[in-house]
Amino acid sequence: MIRVHHLQNSRSQRVLWLLEELGAPYEVIEYRRDPKTLRAPASLKAIHPLGKSPVISDESRDGRVIAESGAILEYLLDRHDPESKLRPMPGDEAHERFRFWLHHAEGTAMPPLVMRLVFSRLSQPPVPALVRPLGRMFAKGVEQTFLGPEIRSLRQYWEEALSNGKWFAGERFSAADIQMSFPVLALEGRGGLEGYPKLQEFLDRCRQRDGYRRAVAQGGEFGIG
């Protein structure tokens, strides 16, 4: 039995989705964000010292704890996907694409999106009112000189990648698509998919999957932006 320590509106939603696609048994333990800081509760540190989500514990292995999205997905695929239904076989060209996108999602895609979210809140509470105008100016400068161009470049790269197949690793759905769903959803949440039909079609296909729908029923609707 896999226990998913699930934080609302977090990357752990992808873990639920993968488990649903694999048909593996799991239990959801829910955690709520602090309404003011939006940070994870301190109770998550009892599971893993960093106190972040996603994190799972494998009760079939004496509660072994696994953290980090990519590591969790690979761990679950190793143990619950013996027929490689959700990842191409090693040696296949699609496997190289699969591995790239599996790690690109967190290594390159998410950092500028997270930075954009953080900077967008510099003009809001709990930032002191007197500092907010300065925070707004600073955020605008960072957006114009760095974040905007970086995210536009990523978005175009993803759009072109999906011109070569329905899914990121090719014509076959894989765990790489589950991993990439989060940055694409983050863009959609801030109105960033207009003019990018391949990315919107990708999300539409994701939402049509039974595994996605069951994961949303278990962990709540994605709410990123």
Side-chain angles (χ1 to χ4, degrees):
M1 171 69 74
I2 299 293
R3 285 183 176 169
V4 182
H5 301 274
H6 173 61
L7 179 66
Q8 62 179 137
N9 290 345
S10 77
R11 292 160 167 87
S12 62
Q13 187 75 35
R14 293 179 298 191
V15 178
L16 300 181
W17 184 9
L18 178 64
L19 286 163
E20 287 291 346
E21 293 283 352
L22 292 172
Y26 68 92
E27 174 188 5
V28 177
I29 301 175
E30 294 188 359
Y31 299 81
R32 308 297 293 181
R33 294 182 183 274
D34 184 288
K36 292 183 178 179
T37 67
L38 299 181
R39 295 181 65 86
S43 55
L44 262 176
K45 288 190 174 182
I47 310 303
H48 189 276
L50 291 178
K52 296 182 180 296
S53 182
V55 61
I56 65 170
S57 53
D58 189 344
E59 301 310 306
S60 70
R61 301 185 70 194
D62 298 322
R64 178 183 293 268
V65 172
I66 310 293
E68 294 294 344
S69 298
I72 291 171
L73 265 61
E74 290 198 89
Y75 177 86
L76 293 174
L77 290 170
D78 286 344
R79 296 187 62 80
H80 297 280
D81 190 23
E83 298 178 358
S84 293
K85 293 180 178 179
L86 291 178
R87 62 176 169 185
M89 294 291 291
D92 189 325
E93 183 181 343
H95 187 270
E96 295 182 7
R97 296 197 297 270
F98 163 83
R99 185 166 52 191
F100 169 80
W101 291 110
L102 189 72
H103 295 285
H104 170 83
E106 290 298 319
T108 302
M110 283 307 300
L113 293 170
V114 172
M115 287 178 65
R116 171 180 274 180
L117 180 62
V118 171
F119 280 109
S120 72
R121 290 176 175 163
L122 291 180
S123 59
Q124 305 173 20
V127 175
L130 290 176
V131 183
R132 289 176 205 166
L134 182 61
R136 187 179 300 109
M137 292 176 59
F138 182 57
K140 183 177 179 180
V142 173
E143 175 68 26
Q144 290 178 343
T145 60
F146 174 68
L147 292 178
E150 179 71 12
I151 291 171
R152 284 194 294 272
S153 177
L154 286 169
R155 183 172 48 192
Q156 186 61 39
Y157 181 62
W158 303 341
E159 180 78 5
E160 292 173 0
L162 289 170
S163 298
N164 299 320
K166 292 172 58 178
W167 304 103
F168 277 99
E171 290 299 322
R172 177 182 163 193
F173 175 78
S174 73
D177 299 299
I178 294 176
Q179 188 78 320
M180 278 299 298
S181 68
F182 199 86
V184 181
L185 279 163
L187 274 180
E188 183 193 48
R190 299 183 70 84
L193 293 187
E194 184 175 355
Y196 292 83
K198 297 294 184 183
L199 289 173
Q200 188 62 65
E201 289 166 7
F202 164 76
L203 286 186
D204 292 343
R205 284 192 294 273
C206 288
R207 289 177 169 129
Q208 290 167 7
R209 294 189 67 86
D210 291 340
Y212 181 97
R213 293 171 177 171
R214 290 194 298 267
V216 169
Q218 286 289 333
E221 184 67 74
F222 291 119
I224 310 164

